[in-house]
């Protein structure tokens, strides 16, 4: 066995290599992979730090987003609640609209306090203490002390009133004499108040008091007895000669007429046919 004369340890001390010395022994491809992984991890850590900073800086925005996400996740529940609320409101509205019938209020008699300033009623004086001594004295009267003064006499009966005789019924006064209408202005005035038409004309005319021809509206005219112009009998509409077409014409007749059409005699009509 050899003897170590220099006093060195039996086993040689291993030399620890630095990372740079170790990297010298790693191939270039593996070194690139290691660098890429380091960069990736550094980027991930930087993103995590940035996310933490954003969450702390934008807490309100995150709360709103979180609430929206919560509502979206629970959309079925919220929609069911909304449907239930709408149904309940509709049922309440339908009940008060169609089925609710309020009971009539019962009138209650409330005793009102008596007014303090009522008029003072003068009561009859009470009988005196000496009423009943069979003497009518000391201002005793028949009403205060009938035992001493006797009963009061009865009031006189009212005089008999004579029976009321109604006045005799007088006949109504005769109607006032009306003055005759003024002289006619046209030759048709003798037929005033009648309905006429001409041979080749379908229109109906009314002859006014002054002899004017006034065209009758077939839709609106009705007379005093309620008869419409369309209901007038044909015998009350007289056909006269066309030579009277040029007689002076007035305004048309529309609506209510305050008299009934006049009936003409053959003698009155003979000149105009």
């Amino acid at each position: 066995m050899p003897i170590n004369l220099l006093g060195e340890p039996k086993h040689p001390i291993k030399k620890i290599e630095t990372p740079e010395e170790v990297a010298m022994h790693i191939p270039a491809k593996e070194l690139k992979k290691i660098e890429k992984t380091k960069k990736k991890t550094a980027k991930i850590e930087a993103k995590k730090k940035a996310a933490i900073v954003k969450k702390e800086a934008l807490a309100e925005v995150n709360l709103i987003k979180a609430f929206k996400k919560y509502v979206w996740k629970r959309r079925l529940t919220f929609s069911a609640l909304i449907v239930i609320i709408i149904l309940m409101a509709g049922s309440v509205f339908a009940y008060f609209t169609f089925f609710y019938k309020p009971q009539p209020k019962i009138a209650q008699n409330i005793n009102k306090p008596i007014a303090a300033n009522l008029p003072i009623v003068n009561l009859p004086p009470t009988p005196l203490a000496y009423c009943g001594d069979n003497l009518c004295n000391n201002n005793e009267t028949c009403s205060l002390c009938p035992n001493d003064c006797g009963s009061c006499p009865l009031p006189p009966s009212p005089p008999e009133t004579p029976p009321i005789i109604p006045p005799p019924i007088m006949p109504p006064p005769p109607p006032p004499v009306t003055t005759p209408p003024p002289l006619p202005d046209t030759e048709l005035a003798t037929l005033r108040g009648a309905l006429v038409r001409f041979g080749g004309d379908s229109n109906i005319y009314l002859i006014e008091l002054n002899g004017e021809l006034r065209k009758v509206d077939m839709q609106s005219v009705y007379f005093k007895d309620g008869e419409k112009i369309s209901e007038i009998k044909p015998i009350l509409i007289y056909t006269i000669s066309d030579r009277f077409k040029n007689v002076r014409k007035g305004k048309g007749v529309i609506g209510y007429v305050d008299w009934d059409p006049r009936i003409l005699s053959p003698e009155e009509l003979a000149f105009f046919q």
Side-chain angles (χ1 to χ4, degrees), residues 39-141:
K39 289 180 180 180
K40 286 181 180 180
T41 53
K43 286 182 180 180
I44 292 168
E45 290 178 359
K47 287 181 179 180
K48 287 181 179 179
K49 289 180 181 179
I52 292 169
V53 172
K54 286 182 180 179
K55 286 182 180 179
E56 292 177 356
L58 304 172
E60 295 181 359
V61 177
N62 292 336
L63 285 173
I64 293 170
K65 289 182 179 179
F67 179 73
K68 288 181 179 179
K69 289 181 180 179
Y70 176 77
V71 171
W72 180 251
K73 287 181 181 178
R74 303 284 183 175
R75 59 184 181 275
L76 294 176
T77 304
F78 284 108
S79 59
L81 287 173
I82 292 170
V83 170
I84 290 170
I85 291 170
I86 291 171
L87 290 175
M88 291 176 66
S91 60
V92 171
F93 176 76
Y95 172 73
F96 282 102
T97 305
F98 300 105
F99 301 102
Y100 177 70
K101 294 181 180 178
Q103 295 181 354
K105 294 182 179 180
I106 300 173
Q108 296 180 356
N109 295 324
I110 300 173
N111 295 325
K112 296 183 179 179
I114 300 173
N117 53 356
L118 292 176
I120 299 172
V121 179
N122 294 324
L123 297 176
T126 56
L128 300 176
Y130 42 80
C131 180
D133 56 357
N134 296 324
L135 296 174
C136 187
N137 55 8
N138 295 325
N139 297 326
E140 293 178 350
T141 60

Side-chain angles (χ1 to χ4, degrees), residues 11 56 72 80 102 117 132 135 153 180 186 193 196 227 265:
H11 301 285
E56 292 177 356
W72 180 251
N117 53 356
L135 296 174
T186 69
V196 298
E227 195 171 15
S265 63

Side-chain angles (χ1 to χ4, degrees), residues 4-46:
N4 189 1
L5 298 177
L6 298 176
E8 293 179 2
K10 297 179 180 180
H11 301 285
I13 298 170
K14 292 183 179 180
K15 185 179 180 181
I16 300 172
E17 297 178 350
T18 60
E20 294 178 358
E21 293 175 348
V22 172
M24 292 174 63
H25 299 287
I26 298 172
K29 290 182 179 181
E30 293 182 1
L31 284 174
K32 288 180 180 180
K33 290 180 179 180
I34 292 169
E35 289 178 0
K36 285 182 179 180
T37 53
K38 286 181 180 180
K39 289 180 180 180
K40 286 181 180 180
T41 53
K43 286 182 180 180
I44 292 168
E45 290 178 359

Side-chain angles (χ1 to χ4, degrees), residues 191 239-241 243-244 264-273:
L191 304 182
T239 303
I240 62 177
S241 177
R243 60 191 175 91
F244 296 101
L264 300 176
S265 63
E267 291 79 11
E268 290 175 326
L269 195 61
F271 175 74
F272 301 97
Q273 288 182 343

